[in-house]
Amino acid sequence: AAAAAPTSAHIRAEIASLYMGMNQPAAAEKAALAALALDADSTEAHQVLGLLMSTSPDRMKEGITHLEKVMATPAGATDVSLQFTLGRLYLMTGAVEKSIDLLTRIVEEQPYLMQARLTLVQALQSANRGDEAIDYLAPVAGSDARLNTTLAQLLTRAGRVREAAEALGRAALANPGNREAQLQYAGALMATGARDDAKKALGVVGPLVEKNGRDTGALYLQAQGFRRVGDVFAAERAARAILAVDARSVSGTMALAQALGQSRRYTDVIETIERFASAARPNENLAPLLSYLSTAHQSLGQHDQAIDALKRAKVADPDDELMDLYLVQAYLSARRFPEAATLAETSQKTSPED
């Protein structure tokens, strides 16, 4: 047919589509370019080239140019699949606002196209429009574990921790045998800071600990939950259970120190952390423990030791800008005002916006 009609762009565009359907991209591109050489407005040829180029990161922008020409036609304006592909390409090439505009139109016209909705949520996230992303995702999350987990992440970033916990609760309910889902739910409940939510978290992790008494992740949340509801002795038992499994657990040592601290056993806190720190491994981040050690010393009125602990914490994690703030406060508590002023001035120069 092509030989019989050497000037027919339509036939060559049809051949390009056939080659693309046969997974012969080189032949498809050659035929599509031949069609465009005969007719620069060949919609089918532009679509073939756009779809072919959309699979190559180096050619996506060129592919967008071809697909935009198709979109400008009456047929392209009603082709939802084409619109979604173009919206996805806009996002992948950094044209986020274009992606949002196009995907929003698709979702509003076709609200049940889940892939378009999820891509729109992703685009809104990229544009730091988290609340809008939540508004598009929340109505369709239902009891879907994956969607509720994504929704919880968005809610957490927006500071809506209770709603995040509710979303993870739905995910956990949909996956009662999934340990990770249960731990995420318990962790989210603990993040609300509410005593009642801590009780709920204990109800979630309790069965995990009963099933596996060596589950250090569940034991850690259990220790924190017991401490939050005021049962410091149960918190201590859970923390010691972690250390029985892994004596070098930083989180287990912290959980134990916090339980002891809540019981005002500050000398035991100091002994626990110092014993752990004395056998520290090269890659262990002791900064949180040393910071808590400082708190224990301050509670006993040992201000110089508290300052020393914070200096050690700063060495362990030099990028933590809060350490300077803690040190200034420790100097003030020790009535070492010149040192507090000097450090505050130095820190202010480093972080002038603070």
Side-chain angles (χ1 to χ4, degrees), residues 206-221:
L208 296 178
V209 174
E210 290 177 9
K211 182 178 180 181
N212 179 9
R214 297 174 61 84
D215 186 336
T216 56
L219 284 167
Y220 177 77
L221 287 172

Side-chain angles (χ1 to χ4, degrees), residues 314-331:
K314 186 174 175 61
V315 171
D317 188 2
D319 296 327
D320 187 347
E321 296 179 358
L322 286 176
M323 286 301 172
D324 283 343
L325 174 61
Y326 297 152
L327 263 173
V328 169
Q329 293 170 334
Y331 280 131

